[in-house]
């Protein structure tokens, strides 16, 4: 079985400060890794993904995540957050031999204040 | 039109009633999924389908059933709704040819059981 642990349920941060949202997974085989974002009262949007290749992946709005196989982690970072980054963030993994079903963490609520 | 359409968007129903949530897609994907989202629990997989003849239980299938009427349609039923099935339900599709990359989510159905 595989599981995803998001270590922080809530992360309050001031605008323009850096932020890291932590994600660890457990799996004995190769996985694909994702971060999804859910803005208030909206659906899920893919933020970034790691499938293979470079372990550092970046989104168009300044977020980045690094796949660390030895630590089984996929932490999400942004050097300077904006008010508009306030949202729920979900880490997810999937494996080919589980029907490509996404297994989600419980989510981290990022609250950015002035 | 959206690639993955869920109906209804919102529904309030009474305990013991049968209710069906519908999902249709125009992506042409074979794989379809139903998830439920609860605050603090993230998204959990209810059922998934590889094609019309292949239905699989997910993590929390008890109390739910599904029907894959066609490649494009995947319905979720609650045979006798109970209050703890109050949640936000998401349908999703994926394209296995893209290695788990091609997930598309619907906008969600907010179900309240009173």
């Amino acid at each position: 079985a595989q599981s995803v642990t998001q270590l922080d349920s809530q992360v309050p941060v001031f605008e323009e400060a850096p932020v890291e949202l932590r994600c660890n997974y457990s799996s004995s085989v190769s996985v694909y890794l994702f971060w999804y974002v859910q803005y208030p009262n909206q659906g899920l949007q893919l933020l970034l993904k790691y499938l293979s290749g470079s372990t550092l992946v970046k989104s168009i709005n300044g977020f980045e995540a690094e796949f660390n196989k030895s630590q089984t982690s996929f932490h999400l970072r942004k050097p300077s957050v904006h008010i508009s980054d306030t949202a729920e963030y979900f880490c997810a993994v999937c494996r080919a031999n589980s029907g490509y079903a996404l297994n989600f963490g419980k989510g981290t609520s990022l609250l950015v204040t002035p | 039109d959206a690639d993955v359409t869920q109906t209804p968007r919102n529904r309030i129903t009474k305990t013991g009633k049968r209710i069906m949530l519908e999902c249709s897609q125009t992506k042409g994907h074979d794989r379809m999924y139903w998830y439920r989202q609860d605050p603090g629990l993230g998204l959990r997989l209810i059922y998934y389908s590889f094609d019309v003849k292949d239905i699989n239980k997910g993590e929390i299938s008890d109390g739910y059933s599904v029907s894959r009427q066609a490649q494009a349609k995947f319905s979720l039923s609650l045979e006798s709704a109970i209050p703890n099935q109050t949640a936000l339900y998401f349908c999703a599709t994926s394209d296995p040819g893209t290695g788990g990359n091609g997930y598309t989510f619907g906008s969600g159905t907010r179900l309240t059981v009173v």
Side-chain angles (χ1 to χ4, degrees):
Chain A
Q2 60 190 46
S3 66
V4 181
T5 302
Q6 291 186 243
L7 295 162
D8 306 292
S9 60
Q10 295 183 341
V11 174
V13 63
F14 290 113
E15 191 176 21
E16 298 183 3
V19 71
E20 178 180 78
L21 307 183
R22 297 178 291 171
C23 174
N24 287 91
Y25 67 94
S26 62
S27 177
S28 60
V29 296
S30 296
V31 296
Y32 302 119
L33 297 159
F34 304 82
W35 276 99
Y36 281 84
V37 59
Q38 185 179 35
Y39 297 104
N41 298 313
Q42 294 189 26
L44 290 166
Q45 299 178 29
L46 178 64
L47 187 60
L48 45 76
K49 59 188 181 288
Y50 171 78
L51 304 181
S52 64
S54 173
T55 57
L56 183 65
V57 291
K58 299 183 179 184
S59 71
I60 59 173
N61 59 353
F63 282 94
E64 64 180 33
E66 186 161 18
F67 169 57
N68 188 319
K69 187 174 183 179
S70 63
Q71 298 186 6
T72 60
S73 67
F74 191 55
H75 301 332
L76 181 69
R77 303 182 182 95
K78 189 170 185 179
S80 176
V81 294
H82 303 291
I83 298 289
S84 60
D85 292 323
T86 293
E88 190 84 12
Y89 291 79
F90 295 98
C91 181
V93 303
C94 77
R95 292 184 296 158
N97 61 357
S98 65
Y100 287 102
L102 285 170
N103 185 12
F104 287 87
K106 294 183 178 182
T108 297
S109 179
L110 177 64
L111 177 60
V112 183
T113 55
Chain B
D1 290 339
D3 293 325
V4 179
T5 302
Q6 293 184 235
T7 55
R9 291 296 306 274
N10 293 280
R11 180 73 181 268
I12 300 174
T13 192
K14 293 184 177 181
T15 297
K17 292 292 187 181
R18 183 180 188 275
I19 183 170
M20 179 182 289
L21 309 184
E22 299 188 357
C23 177
S24 62
Q25 53 118 342
T26 58
K27 300 288 290 184
H29 291 167
D30 287 327
R31 298 171 190 256
M32 298 187 73
Y33 311 82
W34 275 104
Y35 291 88
R36 67 174 279 176
Q37 182 183 6
D38 299 277
L41 295 179
L43 281 81
R44 294 177 291 169
L45 182 65
I46 306 172
Y47 271 95
Y48 62 101
S49 170
F50 288 177
D51 61 37
V52 174
K53 297 180 181 180
D54 192 344
I55 306 290
N56 303 276
K57 292 183 177 180
E59 179 185 356
I60 53 165
S61 59
D62 288 349
Y64 301 94
S65 62
V66 291
S67 173
R68 186 81 183 266
Q69 301 95 324
Q71 186 204 38
K73 295 183 181 296
F74 192 38
S75 301
L76 176 72
S77 294
L78 287 68
E79 297 301 324
S80 179
I82 57 177
N84 75 359
Q85 291 177 312
T86 292
L88 182 58
Y89 290 84
F90 286 102
C91 176
T93 73
S94 77
D95 177 6
T98 57
N101 181 34
Y103 256 84
T104 303
F105 282 86
S107 298
T109 294
R110 187 168 297 278
L111 177 66
T112 303
V113 183
V114 298

